[in-house]
Amino acid sequence: MNRFEYIEARLEDGETFVSRESNIKLYDGEQKTKFEDGELVLTTHRLFWGRPGEIARAAVTLCLHLRYIVSISEEQASNYLFGRKTRLILHLRPAAIDKAPGPLDNSRASFIKLSGKHGVYSEFASALRETLEARIWQVDASSTNSNENCEEHAKPTAKELSSREARLRMRTGIGGIERAIEAKSKETDENIALAFQDLRVLMAMAKDMVGISQVISEKIRNERGEISQDETITFKSYLLSLGIADPVTREGYSSDTAYFSSLAQQLCEMLLDPLEDCGGMMSLADVYCRVNRARGLELLSPEDLLHACHLLQGPIKLRTFPSGAMVLQLESHDDEMMAVDTLALVESNISLAVEDLAKLRNISLLLAKERLLAAERLGKLCRDESLEGLRFYPNFLINRPKEC
């Protein structure tokens, strides 16, 4: 920090504005300083740091001559609120003897750090590197005297200086900002176009994969004896992750009636095998998740799903329990047989809670509770409500054990 000077923020002859950065904090080596949340302005000759508004008023601010900067490096820092950010490390030469007064007279650090809430943006870092490479300040004869205690550098020719000024002018002022914005917008457009190309290729490949899966699925049905049950279940899970090849959407139908009828037919075709695998019954919440996972980007609203479920005909129907819970159920599902199976589980475990049955049958808590309540309505079970919760026992009042 002993390289900084207190100087009025005014441009000298031949000096031009290059770039600006806000919310910048200064470090003296690794030590934090009181100079925080300030504005950093880069010119062709110097680096100004001031409180917000001070540089615009040409007030006395901190100033670092660019001739002191030997090299620039970067480091990555983490922040819990703003994530990872970039800090600039400016490695400096020793201070000149005739340097104007500044915030510090002596400093052991040979570098300073520029940081901030969001770090230092790459545009500013690039502008600083190009300005140092151009060395426009060497054009002024006055800079020669101040460079006596610095390392000697070969003075560039007039042609080289003009080309450096031309490159630097491209980043200077409002025109430079507009060109930077235009270049950034062009790069964004190219990235978006490339992303959509990749998406189209992915969609085309997905359709091919779904077609292949349908062919293999037909072979599985025709040659069921050659494939084990475990392999069949595993492959069905693969088919589910591939999704529906041609999901029903509103855009393809002129009326809601035709749309919901076609949607109900597709739901029936899609859910028939999963319902058989999970015991003939599935909660509407599970149906919603499974259907939308298979439809991919063509998501279905809960209202459309419920409306289509009311129109289901054939092997699947919508059922509403007395508690209000709604499920999809196979028409071949028999409550009496399910109650007998539930009773056998309860008898083998003496008693069961809802969560116990859910674990034993690998079903949701909702379906487990409804199975226990259905068995209770048929007289197979009786309940015991206590501080420990709800448990179900065999109903010995109606079905007395043989030893009694």
Side-chain angles (χ1 to χ4, degrees):
M1 288 296 293
N2 63 333
R3 283 76 162 178
F4 279 93
E5 304 173 3
Y6 285 124
I7 297 178
E8 287 187 358
R10 297 181 185 274
L11 296 179
E12 298 176 345
D13 294 338
E15 184 179 15
T16 56
F17 168 83
V18 177
S19 185
R20 186 191 308 271
E21 190 71 283
S22 58
N23 297 322
I24 294 300
K25 180 193 313 182
L26 300 181
Y27 285 74
D28 182 24
E30 298 291 346
Q31 300 296 321
K32 291 184 179 180
T33 67
K34 63 180 179 179
F35 305 106
E36 299 181 352
D37 298 327
E39 186 179 29
L40 194 65
V41 171
L42 172 66
T43 71
T44 54
H45 293 58
R46 296 174 291 180
L47 199 60
F48 290 96
W49 185 96
R51 305 291 179 186
E54 287 183 348
I55 298 178
R57 298 194 305 269
V60 175
T61 61
L62 294 181
C63 173
L64 176 68
H65 290 275
L66 297 185
R67 65 174 180 268
Y68 284 117
I69 302 177
V70 179
S71 62
I72 303 176
S73 59
E74 296 182 1
E75 71 175 8
Q76 298 294 321
S78 60
N79 187 298
Y80 290 109
L81 296 178
F82 303 102
R84 298 191 65 81
K85 60 182 181 181
T86 300
R87 291 175 178 168
L88 287 185
I89 304 177
L90 308 184
H91 300 273
L92 307 176
R93 296 185 178 92
I97 299 175
D98 58 348
K99 182 185 74 69
L104 287 178
D105 294 331
N106 296 292
S107 176
R108 294 183 178 179
S110 62
F111 63 91
I112 63 170
K113 291 184 181 181
L114 307 179
S115 184
K117 291 182 179 179
H118 302 281
V120 180
Y121 290 104
S122 59
E123 291 81 2
F124 184 87
S126 299
L128 179 57
R129 287 189 174 92
E130 291 183 11
T131 304
L132 292 173
E133 181 183 355
R135 298 187 177 278
I136 304 299
W137 66 84
Q138 290 186 354
V139 177
D140 298 333
S142 61
S143 66
T144 304
N145 296 330
S146 61
N147 281 337
E148 290 181 355
N149 295 320
C150 303
E151 295 180 3
E152 293 295 333
H153 296 274
K155 191 172 182 179
T157 64
K159 185 177 180 181
E160 290 175 346
L161 285 175
S162 61
S163 63
R164 292 176 182 179
E165 288 179 349
R167 289 201 308 271
L168 190 58
R169 199 176 296 115
M170 292 295 290
R171 305 185 62 90
T172 303
I174 297 177
I177 296 174
E178 291 177 346
R179 283 188 289 272
I181 294 174
E182 183 180 354
K184 190 70 173 178
S185 177
K186 183 178 179 181
E187 181 183 358
T188 302
D189 292 340
E190 292 176 354
N191 291 337
I192 291 175
L194 182 62
F196 274 108
Q197 285 182 352
D198 295 339
L199 183 60
R200 284 193 291 269
V201 173
L202 181 61
M203 292 174 64
M205 293 178 63
K207 289 182 179 179
D208 294 340
M209 290 299 295
V210 171
I212 293 173
S213 69
Q214 290 174 344
V215 172
I216 299 176
S217 178
E218 290 295 330
K219 291 183 178 180
I220 285 180
R221 292 174 183 171
N222 296 334
E223 303 175 7
R224 184 62 178 260
E226 300 181 10
I227 301 177
S228 67
Q229 183 70 19
D230 291 340
E231 291 174 337
T232 303
I233 294 174
T234 303
F235 188 75
K236 283 181 180 179
S237 66
Y238 294 158
L239 295 182
L240 178 61
S241 63
L242 288 174
I244 301 174
D246 187 19
V248 174
T249 59
R250 283 184 179 272
E251 289 76 9
Y253 298 89
S254 57
S255 65
D256 287 346
T257 303
Y259 164 65
F260 285 119
S261 297
S262 299
L263 182 59
Q265 182 178 357
Q266 189 173 71
L267 290 177
C268 186
E269 295 173 356
M270 173 192 171
L271 296 172
L272 186 59
D273 290 343
L275 278 172
E276 291 178 352
D277 293 339
C278 65
M281 188 184 298
M282 185 182 298
S283 68
L284 214 56
D286 292 338
V287 171
Y288 177 77
C289 294
R290 185 180 288 261
V291 169
N292 274 329
R293 178 187 175 192
R295 288 174 66 92
L297 297 178
E298 300 292 342
L299 299 180
L300 199 61
S301 68
E303 292 79 9
D304 287 355
L305 176 65
L306 182 59
H307 200 150
C309 289
H310 281 294
L311 300 178
L312 285 172
Q313 295 178 355
I316 302 176
K317 64 180 180 179
L318 178 66
R319 177 179 179 182
T320 303
F321 288 100
S323 63
M326 305 179 74
V327 298
L328 288 188
Q329 176 180 302
L330 294 175
E331 287 190 342
S332 58
H333 181 85
D334 189 348
D335 282 352
E336 183 67 32
M337 293 179 59
M338 195 64 66
V340 172
D341 177 70
T342 304
L343 175 60
L345 287 174
V346 173
E347 289 177 341
S348 62
N349 292 274
I350 302 177
S351 68
L352 284 181
V354 174
E355 55 271 19
D356 298 332
L357 180 60
K359 291 180 182 178
L360 290 172
R361 282 292 178 254
N362 195 24
I363 57 177
S364 65
L365 292 174
L366 175 65
L367 293 183
K369 183 177 181 180
E370 294 301 335
R371 283 186 59 169
L372 291 168
L373 292 177
E376 182 188 34
R377 286 192 296 271
L378 293 174
K380 305 292 184 182
L381 303 176
C382 61
R383 69 174 66 191
D384 176 33
E385 294 188 53
S386 64
L387 295 176
E388 297 180 356
L390 179 63
R391 299 192 68 86
F392 289 85
Y393 292 82
N395 189 351
F396 293 150
L397 299 176
I398 297 178
N399 305 304
R400 290 180 175 275
K402 295 180 179 179
E403 57 269 18
C404 296

